[in-house]
Amino acid sequence: MIKWTGTILIVLANVFRAFDMHMADMIATLVGAGLWSYAAWKTKDMALFAVNIISVSLMALGIYNKGIQNEI
């Protein structure tokens, strides 16, 4: 169930990206990749964990930076 929820969120993030909905894209990617990170950790798939934890980190940074820009 976790993998399918993560997959649906990643696909939804791609839809958001196609329609230039940048913040929604980043949030869906953050949550989807977070779920995939958890699933990868539980199954000890370190390559899958690495790519998704990097995605989570980059999306968190992007969301943070976008929030900072909106305050200026």
Side-chain angles (χ1 to χ4, degrees), residues 9-72:
L9 284 167
I10 296 295
V11 170
L12 188 59
N14 284 298
V15 171
F16 291 149
R17 189 172 303 130
F19 290 96
D20 202 27
M21 300 169 66
H22 191 61
M23 184 57 76
D25 166 17
M26 290 193 299
I27 292 169
T29 301
L30 174 77
V31 177
L35 291 172
W36 267 105
S37 294
Y38 175 75
W41 179 262
K42 293 298 279 184
T43 59
K44 296 179 178 29
D45 186 336
M46 290 300 111
L48 186 59
F49 177 76
V51 74
N52 281 291
I53 205 67
I54 291 167
S55 291
V56 167
S57 301
L58 290 172
M59 290 305 106
L61 182 60
I63 291 166
Y64 174 78
N65 283 336
K66 198 72 158 165
I68 293 292
Q69 289 174 0
N70 288 339
E71 289 184 14
I72 295 175

